[in-house]
Amino acid sequence: KMTESTNGQNMAASKCLVEELSMLKESSLEAVDSPELESKFTSYMHIDREVQKEFWHIVKSVADLDEAQLILLCGSVGDGKSHILSYYSKNEPETMAKFKIHNDSTASFYKTKPAIETLKETLACFSDERISNSKEKWIIAINLGTLTNFLNGDTDNKFTKLRSYVDNQKILENAVPDEKTDITGNFHYVNFSDYHLYTLENEKAKSEYIKAILKKITDDNQNNMFHSSYVHNCLSCSNGDRCPVK
């Protein structure tokens, strides 16, 4: 009887390395993550990052507080917000279960209403009128542009407390606040834009994060589908001598 691990290895080995590498494309289905689903691919490719550590520190600090808590997970499209949510939903389910999650701030509940209306409903418990009596805890993954549109669209001034927090923390500015707020109050944020993939050192660009990704792809590891495909396919492929990928 074929074991599950052996079956998985054979399935990986049956795919050409080019097919396996296509999972790394931004347009691939494997590149899309959600809090409800984490694939073996995204699980294997996970790399700890400083932004992740900051996020989890905030989550643990406010998870058991008896008052409304809103964590804004801010950034740009494709920077890893969804992956962090899916990673902790899988690995820390008890803590994450204490929060409601709104992952797609560009999605609308309605066919005839814009996504901002959905966001207003989601954040209603954090309005000036309701926040003092609310005990709800939410994690909102939101692009900076969407956050800007939401606050600009608050013409009724129902979210002035949230707007003041965003302004004071300079979340929408290309700047780091003079002093980041301690983990007190109702609002908290982590901004992917505050963390850069590259650093300059001795007139050279360096990236420990990118280096770690390349190591994941090339590592001799039984869970590495890329290396498995290379060993089982490329080394015996009749086109190997002519294949630029090999």
Side-chain angles (χ1 to χ4, degrees):
K1 183 179 179 180
M2 184 178 293
T3 64
E4 184 177 348
S5 60
T6 302
N7 186 40
Q9 290 176 355
N10 287 346
M11 288 179 64
S14 66
K15 294 177 67 176
C16 173
L17 178 60
V18 176
E19 293 182 70
E20 295 287 0
L21 291 172
S22 68
M23 292 192 296
L24 297 168
K25 293 169 60 178
E26 187 175 2
S27 59
S28 74
L29 291 176
E30 288 81 4
V32 180
D33 217 340
S34 71
E36 298 80 21
L37 177 64
E38 182 172 89
S39 67
K40 291 182 179 179
F41 168 72
T42 56
S43 180
Y44 172 73
M45 290 299 296
H46 173 78
I47 296 169
D48 288 339
R49 301 166 64 180
E50 289 301 317
V51 63
Q52 166 197 334
K53 296 176 184 177
E54 181 186 0
F55 168 74
W56 190 239
H57 173 63
I58 295 173
V59 170
K60 290 193 299 180
S61 299
V62 306
D64 295 318
L65 296 182
D66 194 31
E67 57 184 9
Q69 299 294 322
L70 172 63
I71 301 176
L72 297 172
L73 192 56
C74 308
S76 304
V77 176
D79 54 15
K81 296 184 294 296
S82 296
H83 174 67
I84 281 184
L85 292 175
S86 65
Y87 175 81
Y88 282 114
S89 294
K90 176 182 178 182
N91 292 284
E92 300 286 351
E94 291 185 10
T95 301
M96 291 295 284
K98 299 176 181 178
F99 295 83
K100 295 178 181 179
I101 297 175
H102 185 59
N103 185 44
D104 189 357
S105 58
T106 62
S108 176
F109 293 157
Y110 311 98
K111 292 182 179 180
T112 58
K113 295 182 180 180
I116 294 298
E117 293 301 318
T118 295
L119 201 53
K120 285 182 180 179
E121 291 186 17
T122 302
L123 292 174
C125 54
F126 299 100
S127 65
D128 297 353
E129 181 181 2
R130 295 175 54 182
I131 192 169
S132 59
N133 297 319
S134 175
K135 295 184 178 181
E136 291 197 29
K137 297 181 179 68
W138 279 85
I139 299 173
I140 308 289
I142 188 168
N143 296 333
L144 293 173
T146 303
L147 181 58
T148 299
N149 293 336
F150 173 77
L151 294 176
N152 288 342
D154 181 32
T155 55
D156 297 330
N157 292 320
K158 293 182 177 181
F159 295 91
T160 62
K161 293 181 179 180
L162 176 58
R163 185 187 304 132
S164 295
Y165 174 80
V166 171
D167 290 342
N168 291 336
Q169 292 301 301
K170 302 180 181 179
I171 297 175
L172 298 176
E173 301 177 32
N174 189 20
V176 178
D178 299 329
E179 184 176 348
K180 195 162 186 178
T181 301
D182 294 332
I183 302 179
T184 57
N186 305 107
F187 302 120
H188 317 277
Y189 84 99
V190 177
N191 192 351
F192 274 74
S193 298
D194 292 340
Y195 295 84
H196 302 289
L197 294 182
Y198 296 91
T199 58
L200 292 176
E201 185 176 321
N202 297 326
E203 299 183 354
K204 293 182 180 179
K206 302 183 68 174
S207 175
E208 294 301 319
Y209 179 61
I210 300 298
K211 188 185 296 185
I213 291 177
L214 293 174
K215 188 177 189 304
K216 285 276 188 178
I217 296 171
T218 59
D219 200 22
D220 184 356
N221 183 310
Q222 64 178 0
N223 295 319
N224 183 0
M225 63 290 295
F226 305 110
H227 185 269
S228 178
S229 180
Y230 177 78
V231 170
H232 290 90
N233 294 315
C234 293
L235 298 184
S236 59
C237 178
S238 59
N239 293 316
D241 292 339
R242 299 185 295 277
C243 177
V245 176
K246 187 267 183 178

